[in-house]
Amino acid sequence: MVAMLTTLLGSFLPQPRILMTMSRDGLLPSIFGTVNKSTAVPVNSTLATGLVAVLMSTSMNVDQLSGMVSVGTLMAFTVVGLCILVLRYVPPLEESSIAASFPEEEEHESKRFLAVLSILSIFGGILLVSLASSFTFLASWGRWMMGTVGLLLLISGTVKLLITKEVGISHHFGHSNCFHCPFVPVLPVASILVNVYLLANIGISTWIRVSVWLIFGLLVYAFYGVHYSLSGRTRV
């Protein structure tokens, strides 16, 4: 209960700011971007977040709430691990064009496709290994086969990235967008493996509830956000 309270309070504080930022970009209606002049608090976003939190807390028990919180956290950490691999080995096109100006990295630009395949191999292998260890209703030979294939994909993809030189410039010291993550790609791969394994062991009922939220978010983006996003119009 203490851990749940801490997590929910920690999520409740930034959520209104996230809604406010999305509103300012146009992904959500402008009503969520209203800020109180005296307190500098996003009022409407805070009220909307509180209303949803109240409805969820009165309609679900602690086990259901903890499952949904766990899915959100684990999915976020999984995406972070994947993004680190993409930024290091398959950077965005505009970053790749800048990286091409570095003589030592220009020769590795042709390996972008192999890096993409390696990352896909890693994620596919992790998914197969996690499902093989979680799907106890399958026959033992099927689980062993699934796990073996997944392990081979995971190891081969990781080894390929280990021998591939990073082509992104975000890891260069002194770059404006520099960030430091040690032991790449081993640490991100290990993080993804643990997170996906835990996700695979969450109950089906929790995944159904999370899927409803994901579908709702995709519908909001498809029918509103994609048409009014300032960032999207700027890129176009």
Side-chain angles (χ1 to χ4, degrees), residues 80-97:
V80 169
L82 286 172
C83 288
I84 291 176
L85 295 178
V86 171
L87 287 174
R88 293 295 184 90
Y89 297 97
V90 194
L93 293 177
E94 59 270 16
E95 184 171 315
S96 298
S97 61

Side-chain angles (χ1 to χ4, degrees), residues 26-107:
L27 292 171
L28 293 176
S30 59
I31 188 175
F32 292 103
T34 304
V35 177
N36 186 281
K37 295 182 179 180
S38 59
T39 60
V41 172
V43 181
N44 295 331
S45 297
T46 302
L47 292 176
T49 302
L51 178 61
V52 173
V54 169
L55 293 176
M56 292 180 64
S57 62
T58 55
S59 60
M60 292 187 293
N61 57 38
V62 175
D63 291 336
Q64 295 170 337
L65 285 174
S66 61
M68 294 193 67
V69 172
S70 298
V71 169
T73 304
L74 293 172
M75 289 181 66
F77 290 160
T78 301
V79 171
V80 169
L82 286 172
C83 288
I84 291 176
L85 295 178
V86 171
L87 287 174
R88 293 295 184 90
Y89 297 97
V90 194
L93 293 177
E94 59 270 16
E95 184 171 315
S96 298
S97 61
I98 299 175
S101 61
F102 293 90
E104 67 275 11
E105 298 203 19
E106 187 175 5
E107 61 185 70

